[in-house]
């Protein structure tokens, strides 16, 4: 009876602690982003952190699709680029309107030989239409692609290769389109929904917008993973055929996760443009898509905050090492990735759990030794 009561108390305490662990982590992250970071970082470093938070938003979606759903998404640059180019086109139209009046043609289009704004650009002059397009278009394209891919039961390495091919095709398409800047992309933005981007106060505001968006995305992902849908998504990852035998369509479950990941990437791309000040095909092709994935793998794809930590840590390390050793970052990134995959498959987020297991393994023999019958009779 004593043993049962002790076990029940331990389980209850463990459940209570895990119940409060996620909210406590959320509050700590909010305190760091909104209190500590603005207080200790310079304007330049704070702007860099805002850029890294955009990467972290993409990573949350990859963690949901890959970590929980088992979909190795190597083409998130497509959705990141869609959101980024939608925002960039709106900002270019807004700058032209402020400079020359409504209906003005941006300077780079004039240089490219355009006498008028392309028809498919025109709706993006509206901030409301732009925001709706950023939220809806990447997710809608992901739904269409997902239905075609997952209904045909394409998965594993085949899905990864296909998603990577889509990223390559998208980058090549952008290079050939002078209406979106071609290989140079779009840059030199002066305002963001009426706020001047050369004002340090407004750049700080962008950091807070990026931080708030990241926290909102993490909260949404947390709710999804705790829901009935989150359980189904993990079940599809582990035993897809059994889920199908239970009457669920695994393709529909995968499509939802894929759409959320695409929507998160589109939002991140839209924030990336005013923060960094440029978007080009080099930011949305194969290499950026793989870089997103590396951050998630290093941080821990099966956890909620692991992808965030990994994305920010890898991006920060890249910037720091590139400043000191410009030619060494690629090698350091490769060594770090190999080390994590070889010795920490769960990523950096699994270090705490690994230490707990080792501590329990060390303590367990001691408990058994103390309860030997001969010692008890002695």
């Amino acid at each position: 009876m004593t043993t049962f009561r002790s076990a029940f108390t331990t389980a209850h305490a463990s459940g209570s602690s895990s119940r409060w662990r996620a909210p406590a982590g959320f509050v700590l992250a909010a305190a760091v982003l909104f209190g500590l970071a603005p207080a200790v970082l310079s304007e330049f470093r704070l702007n860099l952190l805002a850029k890294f938070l955009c990467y972290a938003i993409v990573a949350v979606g990859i963690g949901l699709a890959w970590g929980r759903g088992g979909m190795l998404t190597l083409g998130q640059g497509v959705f990141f680029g869609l959101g980024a180019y939608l925002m960039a086109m709106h900002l270019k139209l807004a700058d032209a309107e402020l400079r020359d009046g409504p209906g003005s043609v941006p300077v780079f289009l004039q240089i490219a030989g355009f006498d008028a704004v392309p028809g498919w650009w025109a709706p993006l002059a509206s901030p409301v239409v732009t925001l709706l397009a950023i939220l809806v278009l990447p997710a809608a394209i992901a739904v269409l692609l997902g239905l075609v891919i997952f209904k045909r039961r394409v998965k594993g390495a085949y899905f990864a290769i296909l998603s990577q091919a889509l990223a390559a095709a998208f980058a090549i398409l952008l290079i050939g389109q002078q209406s979106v800047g071609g290989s140079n992309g779009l840059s030199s933005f002066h305002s963001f929904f009426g706020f001047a981007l050369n004002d340090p106060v407004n750049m700080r505001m962008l950091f807070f917008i990026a931080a708030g968006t990241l926290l909102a995305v993490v909260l949404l992902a947390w709710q999804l993973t705790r829901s009935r849908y989150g359980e189904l998504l993990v079940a599809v990852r582990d035993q897809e055929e059994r889920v199908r035998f239970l009457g669920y369509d695994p393709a529909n479950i995968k499509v939802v996760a894929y759409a959320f990941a695409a929507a998160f990437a589109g939002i991140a791309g839209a924030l990336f443009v005013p923060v960094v000040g440029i978007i080009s095909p080099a930011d949305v092709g194969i290499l950026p898509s793989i870089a997103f994935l590396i951050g998630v793998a290093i941080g821990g794809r099966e956890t909620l905050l692991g992808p965030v930590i990994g994305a920010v840590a890898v991006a920060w390390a890249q910037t720091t090492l590139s400043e000191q050793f410009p030619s060494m970052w690629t090698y350091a990134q490769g060594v770090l990735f190999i080390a994590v995959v070889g010795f920490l498959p769960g990523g950096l987020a699994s270090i705490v759990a690994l230490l707990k297991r080792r501590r329990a393994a060390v303590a367990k023999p001691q408990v058994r030794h103390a309860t030997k019958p001969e010692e008890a009779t002695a």
Side-chain angles (χ1 to χ4, degrees), residues 127-338:
V128 176
V129 173
T130 302
L131 292 177
L132 287 176
I134 290 169
L135 292 173
V136 173
L137 189 58
I141 293 177
V143 169
L144 293 176
L145 290 174
L147 289 174
V148 172
I149 294 172
F150 299 130
K151 289 292 185 181
R152 295 177 178 272
R153 302 190 183 183
V154 177
K155 56 184 178 180
Y158 299 103
F159 170 74
I161 294 172
L162 182 58
S163 63
Q164 190 176 61
L166 289 173
F170 183 64
I172 294 172
L173 177 65
L174 290 174
I175 291 173
Q177 299 296 319
Q178 292 302 316
S179 60
V180 291
S183 59
N184 294 324
L186 301 175
S187 60
S188 302
F189 310 108
H190 302 291
S191 64
F192 177 72
F193 294 103
F195 294 94
L197 289 176
N198 59 358
D199 188 343
V201 175
N202 294 333
M203 293 304 297
R204 180 173 286 251
M205 176 192 68
L206 281 174
F207 167 78
F208 289 126
I209 292 174
T213 304
L214 174 61
L215 292 177
V217 165
V218 170
L219 183 60
L220 178 57
W222 180 63
Q223 290 293 339
L224 285 172
T225 56
R226 284 168 50 90
S227 66
R228 174 69 172 173
Y229 169 76
E231 296 177 354
L232 283 173
L233 185 61
V234 174
V236 168
R237 179 196 67 188
D238 296 337
Q239 294 290 341
E240 182 172 333
E241 293 303 320
R242 289 190 179 184
V243 173
R244 184 175 287 107
F245 292 152
L246 290 174
Y248 296 98
D249 189 348
N252 294 335
I253 298 172
K254 289 182 178 182
V255 165
V256 173
Y258 192 41
F260 271 107
F264 293 167
I267 294 170
L271 290 172
F272 179 87
V273 169
V275 168
V276 179
I278 186 173
I279 185 67
S280 70
D283 299 315
V284 302
I286 293 178
L287 292 180
S289 298
I290 295 176
F292 292 146
L293 202 74
I294 289 176
V296 175
I298 290 176
R301 61 188 175 94
E302 295 186 5
T303 61
L304 184 64
L305 293 180
V308 175
I309 297 171
V312 174
V314 169
W316 195 282
Q318 179 181 6
T319 301
T320 304
L321 290 178
S322 296
E323 292 175 355
Q324 302 295 328
F325 310 99
S327 61
M328 293 298 295
W329 164 244
T330 303
Y331 301 102
Q333 186 181 39
V335 170
L336 181 61
F337 183 71
I338 292 172

Side-chain angles (χ1 to χ4, degrees), residues 91-106 125-126:
L91 296 184
K92 296 301 289 186
L93 290 174
D95 289 345
E97 182 177 344
L98 288 175
R99 186 184 65 252
D100 300 323
S104 300
V105 181
S126 168

